[in-house]
């Protein structure tokens, strides 16, 4: 919360006699009693109307500037800034120690501690003195930078967020608020069920290990953060501090500080946007196993619709996912689900092809039996016509296989009885054959596809989660 204080100056006494002009209420025009001042020159106008107030404001601004200059000059005299060359680091010729504390992650408050005896000053109360950004430009500060930084800046609202605190013995506390955008090398082989390890690395740009030593002042406690940190895509599971060295062939070894983060990706978004819709598409296609095989438009349109829907989901995910050259976890799930959709379409093609092949084979097997007489042929045709009238939805191939029984009858009674027996047996076999042809592949598919898909999901979520 910010508090802005506005200071308004008013003259001690304002009356109509104090104003060198009068206000006409009709036309809202200004009439000067002594001299007309055009409004195009507001400074001259104000100086004519309130000359004491205008002069006082300019004097107060000049006095404030002088006070600021005097305060800065006194601070420089107190810290003996003019007596030393602050272009050189403290303790030149020996090893300097710099302690670092990083607070308020991720808003970014960086605290540096070091000792510069050149800034020591006498004090009876042993209290520190705090200075702003104006004095920081006149003394030595460490050249710490973030190694893998892409973009960084120091906050400057309302002024630069810098603070310098100097103790009488020369210990210095330097604090700044900085925001850093850094690179992190991630492995997306388990995306979006992945956990990433990222780090921020601090290092001195000019001073190697012989000149400057960096270390965390309080170990892991040097990293202080607000509770319940949550990013848009990740949970921060853990963060820790460590230190190490970095070698450069041209300049040598440098001290380096590490801030290690363990980031776990939010999965709920991907479950709602990817996994759950794909799972519904696969399960919806299993409905076709309960549709009659003769309903060709219904089963074909359902299969084609699911294939197009899966291709749309795949293209949408490919556009939003990281572009890497290896297989990700979400790719495995999407392509296996697409394979189940494709197999469901192929299953109906197999059912339709198998039914047509069986019907044609039974029709061509009737050629091995020959009729004995014209009467038996007529009886055969009558029985065949009777079967067609009673069973219009089935083929005649099953009945044709029983024409030998019909042909064995000689007289009318035997022929009629034979026709009835052949008709009954043929109808039973035709119904049984039709029932088997309609459900043998679909029946197994109703059980096989769900079981295999459930087993795949168990293995998938067990391995990647």
């Amino acid at each position: 919360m910010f508090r802005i204080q506005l200071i308004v100056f008013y003259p001690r006494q304002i009356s109509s006699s104090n104003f060198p002009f009068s206000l006409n209420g009709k036309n809202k025009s200004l009439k000067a009693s002594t001299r007309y001042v055009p409004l195009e020159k507001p400074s001259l106008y104000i100086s004519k109307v309130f000359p004491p107030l205008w002069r006082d404001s300019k004097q107060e601004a000049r006095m404030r500037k002088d006070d600021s200059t005097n305060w800065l000059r006194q601070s420089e005299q107190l810290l003996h800034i003019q007596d030393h060359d602050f272009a050189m680091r403290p303790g030149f010729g020996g090893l300097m120690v710099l302690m670092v504390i990083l607070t308020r992650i991720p808003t970014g408050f960086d605290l540096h501690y070091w000792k510069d005896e050149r800034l020591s000053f006498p004090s009876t109360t042993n209290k520190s003195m705090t200075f702003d950004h104006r004095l920081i430009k006149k003394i030595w500060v460490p050249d710490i930078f973030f190694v893998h930084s892409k973009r960084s800046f120091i906050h400057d609202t309302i002024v630069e967020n810098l603070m310098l605190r100097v103790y009488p013995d020369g210990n210095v506390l330097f604090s700044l608020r900085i925001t850093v955008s850094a690179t992190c090398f991630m492995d997306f082989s388990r995306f979006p069920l992945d956990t990433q390890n990222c780090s921020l690395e601090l290092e001195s740009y000019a001073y190697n290990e012989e000149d400057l030593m960096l270390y965390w002042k309080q170990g892991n406690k040097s990293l202080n953060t607000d509770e319940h940190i949550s990013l848009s895509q990740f949970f921060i599971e853990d963060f820790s501090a460590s230190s190490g060295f970095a070698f450069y062939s041209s300049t040598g070894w440098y001290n380096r500080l590490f801030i290690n983060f363990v980031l776990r990706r939010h999965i709920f978004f991907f479950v709602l946007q990817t996994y759950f819709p794909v799972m519904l598409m696969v399960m919806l296609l299993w409905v076709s196993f309960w549709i009659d095989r003769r309903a060709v438009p219904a089963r074909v349109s359902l299969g084609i619709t699911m294939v197009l829907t899966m291709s749309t989901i795949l293209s949408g995910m490919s556009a939003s996912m990281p572009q890497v050259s290896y297989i990700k976890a979400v790719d495995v799930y999407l392509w296996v689900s697409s394979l189940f959709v494709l197999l469901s379409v192929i299953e109906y093609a197999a059912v339709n092809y198998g039914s047509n092949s069986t019907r044609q084979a039974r029709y061509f097997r009737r050629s091995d039996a020959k009729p004995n007489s014209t009467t038996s042929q007529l009886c055969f045709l009558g029985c065949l016509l009777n079967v067609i009238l009673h069973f219009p939805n089935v083929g005649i191939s099953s009945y044709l296989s029983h024409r030998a029984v019909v042909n064995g009858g000689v007289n009318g009674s035997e022929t009629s009885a034979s026709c009835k027996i052949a008709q009954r047996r043929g109808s039973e076999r035709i119904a049984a054959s039709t029932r088997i042809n309609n459900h043998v592949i679909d029946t197994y598919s109703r059980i096989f596809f769900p079981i295999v898909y459930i087993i795949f999901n168990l293995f998938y979520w067990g391995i990647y989660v």
Side-chain angles (χ1 to χ4, degrees):
M1 180 183 294
F2 298 95
R3 184 177 61 184
I4 301 177
Q5 183 178 4
L6 299 178
I7 302 177
V8 182
F9 296 92
Y10 297 95
R12 292 192 181 96
Q13 185 177 2
I14 298 178
S15 62
S16 59
S17 59
N18 297 120
F19 290 88
F21 60 89
S22 61
L23 181 63
N24 189 350
K26 296 181 179 179
N27 53 10
K28 305 292 182 180
S29 60
L30 296 175
K31 296 182 179 180
S33 58
T34 58
R35 182 181 178 183
Y36 173 73
V37 180
L39 294 179
E40 286 80 4
K41 297 180 180 180
S43 59
L44 181 61
Y45 177 77
I46 295 175
S47 63
K48 291 292 184 180
V49 177
F50 300 109
L53 178 61
W54 180 256
R55 287 196 298 268
D56 292 344
S57 300
K58 292 179 64 176
Q59 291 178 358
E60 290 179 0
R62 189 181 299 110
M63 291 177 60
R64 286 196 299 268
K65 184 177 181 180
D66 294 339
D67 292 342
S68 177
T69 304
N70 293 332
W71 176 85
L72 183 61
R73 187 181 300 109
Q74 292 176 1
S75 300
E76 294 177 1
Q77 294 176 357
L78 177 65
L79 301 178
H80 309 284
I81 292 179
Q82 300 296 334
D83 300 338
H84 302 281
D85 183 11
F86 284 94
M88 302 177 63
R89 67 174 178 83
F92 182 77
L95 179 63
M96 177 188 172
V97 178
L98 178 64
M99 298 170 288
V100 179
I101 291 181
L102 191 65
T103 62
R104 296 191 185 181
I105 299 172
T107 54
F109 281 84
D110 197 3
L111 303 179
H112 297 170
Y113 294 87
W114 72 91
K115 187 173 184 178
D116 191 349
E117 295 181 353
R118 296 172 296 183
L119 299 177
S120 59
F121 59 91
S123 176
T124 57
T125 59
N126 198 26
K127 291 183 178 181
S128 61
M129 296 188 63
T130 302
F131 307 94
D132 57 9
H133 63 281
R134 291 173 295 177
L135 188 64
I136 294 175
K137 299 178 181 179
K138 297 180 178 294
I139 66 172
W140 181 90
V141 292
D143 56 346
I144 303 299
F145 75 103
F146 291 88
V147 178
H148 299 295
S149 172
K150 296 176 59 179
R151 185 178 65 91
S152 59
F153 62 92
I154 298 175
H155 294 259
D156 55 357
T157 306
I158 299 177
V159 295
E160 292 186 3
N161 298 165
L162 302 173
M163 187 268 291
L164 181 69
R165 181 172 296 171
V166 182
Y167 293 87
D169 57 354
N171 287 318
V172 180
L173 167 62
F174 175 56
S175 175
L176 71 159
R177 186 186 179 193
I178 185 171
T179 297
V180 179
S181 298
T183 58
C184 178
F185 300 98
M186 296 185 177
D187 180 18
F188 293 105
S189 60
R190 302 175 67 92
F191 177 88
L193 309 172
D194 55 337
T195 300
Q196 304 292 342
N197 296 317
C198 298
S199 63
L200 287 175
E201 303 176 6
L202 290 80
E203 182 182 310
S204 174
Y205 190 83
Y207 302 103
N208 56 20
E209 64 169 351
E210 297 178 357
D211 296 324
L212 182 63
M213 184 179 70
L214 298 174
Y215 75 95
W216 296 108
K217 184 178 181 181
Q218 300 175 358
N220 286 335
K221 295 182 179 180
S222 299
L223 301 178
N224 299 323
T225 180
D226 298 331
E227 296 182 357
H228 307 295
I229 296 179
S230 180
L231 304 179
S232 59
Q233 295 188 24
F234 295 95
F235 290 111
I236 300 180
E237 289 189 339
D238 188 22
F239 56 90
S240 60
S242 61
S243 60
F245 293 90
F247 177 75
Y248 300 93
S249 58
S250 58
T251 54
W253 291 90
Y254 288 78
N255 286 103
R256 181 175 291 185
L257 301 180
F258 299 89
I259 308 170
N260 305 307
F261 298 92
V262 180
L263 307 176
R264 181 168 57 86
R265 193 181 303 273
H266 295 280
I267 190 178
F268 189 69
F269 171 79
F270 296 96
V271 170
L272 292 180
Q273 298 295 326
T274 304
Y275 288 99
F276 191 65
V278 170
M279 192 179 301
L280 288 181
M281 294 301 104
V282 176
M283 296 174 63
L284 183 60
L285 194 56
W286 296 343
V287 179
S288 64
F289 300 152
W290 276 264
I291 300 177
D292 190 0
R293 65 178 178 83
R294 290 167 293 184
V296 178
R299 296 190 66 165
V300 171
S301 60
L302 181 60
I304 297 301
T305 303
M306 294 301 104
V307 171
L308 295 177
T309 304
M310 287 297 301
S311 63
T312 303
I313 295 176
L314 283 173
S315 60
M317 284 300 299
S318 299
S320 61
M321 287 189 302
Q323 304 298 321
V324 294
S325 58
Y326 47 85
I327 298 177
K328 301 177 288 294
V330 67
D331 294 335
V332 175
Y333 195 88
L334 291 177
W335 285 107
V336 171
S337 299
S338 301
L339 180 62
F340 272 90
V341 173
L342 181 61
L343 290 177
S344 299
V345 177
I346 295 175
E347 183 269 346
Y348 175 65
V351 169
N352 195 16
Y353 179 78
S355 300
N356 292 333
S357 299
T358 304
R359 188 181 301 110
Q360 293 176 1
R362 292 181 177 179
Y363 177 78
F364 286 111
R365 278 202 303 267
R366 78 178 186 271
S367 61
D368 57 350
K370 296 181 180 180
N372 295 328
S373 62
T374 305
T375 304
S376 62
Q377 292 179 4
L378 293 175
C379 183
F380 168 75
L381 293 176
C383 292
L384 179 60
L385 181 60
N386 194 12
V387 171
I388 294 175
L389 293 176
H390 286 82
F391 302 96
N393 296 326
V394 297
I396 63 175
S397 59
S398 298
Y399 177 73
L400 293 177
S401 61
H402 303 284
R403 67 184 182 277
V405 179
V406 179
N407 293 333
V410 179
N411 52 36
S413 59
E414 293 178 355
T415 302
S416 179
S418 300
C419 287
K420 292 180 180 180
I421 295 173
Q423 179 181 348
R424 184 173 60 254
R425 293 180 180 178
S427 62
E428 293 176 356
R429 293 187 180 183
I430 289 173
S433 176
T434 304
R435 185 167 55 252
I436 292 173
N437 289 334
N438 279 338
H439 300 289
V440 62
I441 298 179
D442 286 340
T443 302
Y444 287 113
S445 298
R446 295 170 189 173
I447 302 174
F448 175 77
F449 275 81
I451 290 178
V452 175
Y453 195 68
I454 290 174
I455 292 175
F456 162 71
N457 277 274
L458 292 177
F459 274 97
Y460 180 86
W461 296 105
I463 291 173
Y464 286 105
V465 175

